[in-house]
């Protein structure tokens, strides 16, 4: 399947989940990365009008989990998050933020992904590391 079809299929698979509830969209996918974007709006800000750190972590875990799932898709395996951390480096009040998940380690039992989230000016908003366990599909 071509890249556009893959992106469309991924975006359809996350319908009616937190991903679509807060407006996350997958924008690019390859074997070694997944990119997406998220709006900074009433769904993703906290009471001071800034991007909520939890929304950034949701974007990070979404991108990393999709990327990890792609790594094991044809092996009757799946991935689940077992640890995530995030450093919030700059605030955002409006527009979009853009994330990219790239692998640090792809193992048979554990995967580690780095997710960088930037604003529309290419300034780093958040950097996150996600650890995934590779498990059998049920």
């Amino acid at each position: 399947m071509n890249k556009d079809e893959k992106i469309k299929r991924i975006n359809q698979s996350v319908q009616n989940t937190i991903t679509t509830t807060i407006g996350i969209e997958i924008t690019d996918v390859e074997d070694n990365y997944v990119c997406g974007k998220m709006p900074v709006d009433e769904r993703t800000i906290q009471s001071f009008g800034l991007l909520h750190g939890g929304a950034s972590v949701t974007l990070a875990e979404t991108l990393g989990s999709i990327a990890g799932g792609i790594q094991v898709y044809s092996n009757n395996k799946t991935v689940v998050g077992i640890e995530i951390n995030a450093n919030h480096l700059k605030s955002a009040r409006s527009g979009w933020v853009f994330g990219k998940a790239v692998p640090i380690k792809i193992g048979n039992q554990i995967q580690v992904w780095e997710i960088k989230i930037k604003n529309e000016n290419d300034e780093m908003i958040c950097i996150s590391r996600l650890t995934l366990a590779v498990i059998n599909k049920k």
Side-chain angles (χ1 to χ4, degrees):
M1 126 181 29
N2 69 37
K3 183 189 285 196
D4 290 337
E5 274 296 312
K6 189 181 259 189
I7 292 168
K8 182 179 177 183
R9 181 178 264 176
I10 291 168
N11 281 317
Q12 288 174 340
S13 75
V14 297
Q15 291 298 307
N16 302 313
T17 68
I18 191 171
T19 302
T20 54
T21 299
I22 65 173
I24 294 172
E25 299 173 39
I26 303 307
T27 58
D28 196 9
V29 61
E30 287 290 345
D31 290 338
N32 60 343
Y33 68 84
V34 170
C35 296
K37 66 181 183 175
M38 180 177 68
V40 181
D41 63 16
E42 70 281 352
R43 296 170 290 180
T44 58
I45 60 171
Q46 38 89 316
S47 60
F48 299 118
L50 303 173
L51 178 62
H52 194 292
S56 295
V57 172
T58 301
L59 175 59
E61 186 153 0
T62 298
L63 297 177
S65 293
I66 290 169
I70 290 169
Q71 298 297 313
V72 298
Y73 180 75
S74 62
N75 296 332
N76 204 28
K77 303 277 186 181
T78 192
V79 294
V80 293
I82 58 173
E83 193 275 337
I84 189 165
N85 69 33
N87 295 102
H88 306 291
L89 306 172
K90 185 174 179 70
S91 61
R93 290 187 175 273
S94 63
W96 291 85
V97 291
F98 303 88
K100 183 174 185 178
V102 296
I104 295 172
K105 166 77 172 157
I106 304 296
N108 292 327
Q109 296 178 326
I110 295 287
Q111 297 181 9
V112 180
W113 292 84
E114 177 182 78
I115 304 92
K116 291 181 179 176
I117 300 172
K118 297 182 177 183
N119 65 15
E120 293 168 312
N121 296 321
D122 204 36
E123 299 168 312
M124 187 79 75
I125 299 295
C126 178
I127 187 164
S128 182
R129 188 180 62 234
L130 172 66
T131 304
L132 301 169
V134 178
I135 63 170
N136 291 321
K137 285 184 183 174
K138 292 190 179 192

